[in-house]
């Protein structure tokens, strides 16, 4: 064969080979794109990222099968109505953002036909690894979203940085998401810059996301101002004995500080999918005890508590007879179960009634009140304020639950409130939220109060909170010095083999409790004697919490614990004495503080007490302006001494007839009483009495000054109602 022919054939074969290779490469990219989109639709974001990366020839994730333990983060139930827009006052979550994107015209490119992945799409330009117009940008955004939704915030930051380089109405929320992952990575100045630019440049029709971005600016400012950790507080990652497996979370005391119960996704929990033998790691409940300062190898609780499903987030009663825990099915719906301990074994768990587990919605993260008569839990059931809310239900010893009540808008927001824990000290509720102002992700908060009346939640700050998710906070029952929490603050990139896409680990908490106390002694002002059995009442001026009532001991002393971030008003009262008052504030207190204040009570005199400065014009019942200022002070005095009834006595000078002066003085007494009633003193506590000239201070007065002294107004205590605390009167 001539050389020229051989060269031509070789050139033809080479050309056909290159064309075939390019066509094969294009076909592979279309397949990866299709598979990536399918995985994304199913919520398998780790696999989706792997496929999308192959589309761009950017490498792949770990090729081993990615396993998903029980998801401990807030569960978001999709809207049941298709294309339902987000509420104007509700911050959109990732599902809602996707919905808004579709409304803004961010449609997904046409997908290959399932039977023939090579059709239904345009050719791919292999030069530079770019897709045809629009597809490269689409894949970049998908990769960024996948890393964000699988909590790999450092990788998400890298890809969002690429995504926002080319502004597009097809991806209107990319910059907002970029700001959020920057906040998760604790890059607060950079997050602020992106939020401000997003607010400035967003031109969509829905302002919900703009309102949310403006709210997140407050979070950024808060995070920057709370960089300093709380003194004498530590949060330390527990060793691999506790944090073995893909995820460990929800540690709680097994009614003994030396024994804990927690949930973990471990290889021992692996179950096989009968359809394709795809291994899946589920979460089971484990027990471990402490010996010699070291935690022992955890023991699986086994059946009937653990199943092929996901178990986690449990609380046990003080006598270890009742165990409430969360169980989730394959559909992702979670419910709270109760197992009883009998004859050394945990019995088959029963699902709590619909007052707790409402059909079609998730309920999880049970927590018991100190009296164990109320069950706190998180749920996305209707009637809440947003996504996951915290609810409370009365519950008896058999697990029968009464009607559940929402904890209200002070605790719950339009976002997520989860993992409640109620401590008996000051009735403190700990929970996690991404709706209240925080450092990023879910933050731990605390609040004080009762079932339906709670104080404004306080962010626990660093080191308890970080830019990531921080939740499942519990502390010991006695002193509140040690405890546990769950967090993914150690980035996923540091996890072994980069397979732990849910990097929730258990941390041990050690903290010096912030203790605020008030103490003092009550004295008789006249004799300086100490006054036992005296009532000291301490109230929140905003009426957010119930008052504190204390009875002084034999030495007239009192002592109580206060709550931080409160403005207090305190007073001491006793029968036959006027009250004494004191105000203090526990706002902005960052270390343990002791307030000392002594009260001095003045005995109530049996005679009239003149009200100086109450003056009238001659032959008139009208109060002078200066007199009203004096009566304002009397109003405050009567408010403080809310247990007394007084007679308001008015007197005239000796000029005029007796009958006329009696009528005039009665009118003047009435004018004082009417003024005080208009200010808010109950009329039952005021008795006007006109004495005319029957009780002259100066007989035979001759000067106007002497007559003015006779035209006086005074009050006298006629009754005093005793305070009843329990069965004792004070």
């Amino acid at each position: 064969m001539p050389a020229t022919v051989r060269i031509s054939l070789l050139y033809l074969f080479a050309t056909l080979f290159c064309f075939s290779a390019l066509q094969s490469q294009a076909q592979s990219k279309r397949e990866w794109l299709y598979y990536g989109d399918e995985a994304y639709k199913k919520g398998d974001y780790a696999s989706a990222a792997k496929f999308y990366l192959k589309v761009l020839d950017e490498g792949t994730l770990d090729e081993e099968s990615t396993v998903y333990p029980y998801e401990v983060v807030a569960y978001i139930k999709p809207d049941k109505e298709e294309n339902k827009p987000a509420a104007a006052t509700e911050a959109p979550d990732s599902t809602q953002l996707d919905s808004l994107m579709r409304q803004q015209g961010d449609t997904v490119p046409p997908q290959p036909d399932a039977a023939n992945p090579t059709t239904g799409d345009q050719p791919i330009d292999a030069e530079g690894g770019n897709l045809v117009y629009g597809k490269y940008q689409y894949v970049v955004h998908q990769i960024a979203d996948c890393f964000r939704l699988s909590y790999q915030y450092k990788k998400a930051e890298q890809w969002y940085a690429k995504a926002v380089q080319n502004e597009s109405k097809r991806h209107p929320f990319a910059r907002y998401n970029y700001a959020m992952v920057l906040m998760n990575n604790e890059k607060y100045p950079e997050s602020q810059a992106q939020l401000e630019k997003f607010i400035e440049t967003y031109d969509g029709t829905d302002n919900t996301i703009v309102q949310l971005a403006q709210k997140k600016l407050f979070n950024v400012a808060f995070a920057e101002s709370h960089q300093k950790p709380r003194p004498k507080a530590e949060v330390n990652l527990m060793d691999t004995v506790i944090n073995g497996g893909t995820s460990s979370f929800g540690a709680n005391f097994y009614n003994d500080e030396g024994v804990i119960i927690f949930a973990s996704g471990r290889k021992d929990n692996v179950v096989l999918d009968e359809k394709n033998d795809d291994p899946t790691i589920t979460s089971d409940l484990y027990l471990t005890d402490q010996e010699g300062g070291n935690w022992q190898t955890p023991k699986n609780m086994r059946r009937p508590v653990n199943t092929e499903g996901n178990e986690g987030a449990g609380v046990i009663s003080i006598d270890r007879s009742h165990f409430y825990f969360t169980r989730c099915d394959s559909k992702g719906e979670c419910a709270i179960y109760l197992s009883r301990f009998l004859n050394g074994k945990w019995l088959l768990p029963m699902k709590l009634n619909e007052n707790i587990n409402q059909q079609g919605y998730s309920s999880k993260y049970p927590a018991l009140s100190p009296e164990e008569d109320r069950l706190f839990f998180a749920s996305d059931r209707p009637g809440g304020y947003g996504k996951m809310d915290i609810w409370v239900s009365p519950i008896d010893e058999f697990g029968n639950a009464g009607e559940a009540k929402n904890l209200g808008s002070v605790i719950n927001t339009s976002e997520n409130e989860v993992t409640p824990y109620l401590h008996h000290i000051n009735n403190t509720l700990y929970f996690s939220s991404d709706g209240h102002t925080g450092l990023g992700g879910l933050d731990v908060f605390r609040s004080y109060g009762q079932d339906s009346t709670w104080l404004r939640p306080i962010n626990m700050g660093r080191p308890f909170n970080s830019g990531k998710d921080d939740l499942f906070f519990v502390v010991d029952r006695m002193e509140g010095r040690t405890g546990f929490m769950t967090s993914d603050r150690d980035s996923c990139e540091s996890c072994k083999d980069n397979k732990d896409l849910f990097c929730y680990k258990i941390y041990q908490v050690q903290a010096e409790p912030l203790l605020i106390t008030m103490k003092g002694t009550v004295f008789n002002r006249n004799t300086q004697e100490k006054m036992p059995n005296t009532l000291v009442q301490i109230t929140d001026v905003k009426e957010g919490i119930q008052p504190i009532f204390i009875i002084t001991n034999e030495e007239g002393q009192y002592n109580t614990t206060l709550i931080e971030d409160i403005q207090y008003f305190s007073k001491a009262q006793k029968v036959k004495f006027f009250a004494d008052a004191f105000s203090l504030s526990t706002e902005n207190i960052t270390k343990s503080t002791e307030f000392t204040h002594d009260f001095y009570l003045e005995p109530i005199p049996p005679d009239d007490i003149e009200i100086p400065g109450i003056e009238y014009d001659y032959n008139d019942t009208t109060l002078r302006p200066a007199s009203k200022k004096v009566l304002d002070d009397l109003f405050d005095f009567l408010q403080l001494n809310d247990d007394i009834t007084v007679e308001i006595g008015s007197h005239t000078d000796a000029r005029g007839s007796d009958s006329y002066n009696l009528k005039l003085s009665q009118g003047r007494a009435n004018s004082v009483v009417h003024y005080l009633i208009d200010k808010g003193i109950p009329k039952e506590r005021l008795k006007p009495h006109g004495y005319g000239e029957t009780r002259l201070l100066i007989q035979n007065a001759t000067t106007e000054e002497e007559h003015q002294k006779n035209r006086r107004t005074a009050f006298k205590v006629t009754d005093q109602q005793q305070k009843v605390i329990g069965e004792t009167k004070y």
Side-chain angles (χ1 to χ4, degrees), residues 191-386:
S191 178
Q192 177 181 345
Q194 293 300 326
L195 283 171
E196 290 174 344
K197 188 169 183 179
F198 172 78
I199 294 171
E200 178 184 354
T201 59
Y202 177 74
D203 59 355
T205 58
D206 195 305
N207 290 326
T208 301
I209 189 66
V210 176
Q211 296 171 5
L212 182 58
Q214 291 169 338
K215 181 179 179 180
K216 293 299 182 181
L217 281 175
F218 287 101
N219 287 31
V220 171
F222 175 86
E224 286 191 291
S225 64
H226 287 72
Q227 295 282 20
K228 188 177 180 180
R230 178 175 172 176
K232 298 183 180 180
E234 294 183 7
V235 175
N236 299 306
L237 180 67
M238 301 187 75
D239 61 29
T240 54
V241 172
I242 302 297
N243 286 313
T246 65
S247 180
S248 296
F249 58 93
N252 207 338
F253 297 102
Y254 194 70
N255 196 30
D256 185 334
E257 293 182 19
V259 183
I260 61 173
I261 186 169
F262 66 97
S264 185
R266 304 187 179 220
K267 291 183 179 179
D268 292 343
N269 309 342
V270 168
V271 296
L272 296 178
D273 189 322
E274 296 179 356
K275 295 181 179 180
N276 55 17
D277 292 337
D278 182 27
T280 301
I281 291 184
T282 61
S283 69
D284 278 358
L285 288 158
Y286 286 81
L287 286 171
T288 181
D289 59 351
Q290 197 173 34
E291 294 183 8
N294 298 317
W295 293 101
Q296 304 303 298
T297 301
K299 297 179 180 179
N300 191 299
M301 290 188 70
R302 303 300 177 187
R303 293 181 182 275
V305 173
N306 289 323
T307 64
E308 291 82 0
N310 289 294
E311 285 78 30
V315 59
I316 194 166
S317 63
I318 293 177
D319 61 1
R320 295 186 183 180
S321 63
H322 292 67
F323 179 45
Y324 300 88
F325 64 95
T326 307
R327 178 180 288 171
C328 299
D329 59 25
S330 59
K331 298 178 182 179
E333 290 190 1
C334 303
I336 297 174
Y337 285 75
L338 167 63
S339 178
R340 295 186 179 86
F341 196 73
L342 185 64
N343 297 328
K345 295 181 180 180
W346 287 106
L347 303 182
L348 183 68
M350 70 171 189
K351 186 177 180 180
L352 297 187
N353 64 30
E354 286 204 354
N355 285 323
I356 300 292
N357 299 309
Q358 190 165 340
Q359 185 69 29
Y361 300 90
S362 283
S363 294
K364 48 188 176 180
Y365 315 135
L368 284 170
S369 64
E371 301 81 9
E372 300 187 352
D373 59 352
R374 292 169 295 157
L375 189 73
F376 292 77
F377 61 99
S379 178
D380 62 347
R381 61 173 51 204
Y385 291 86

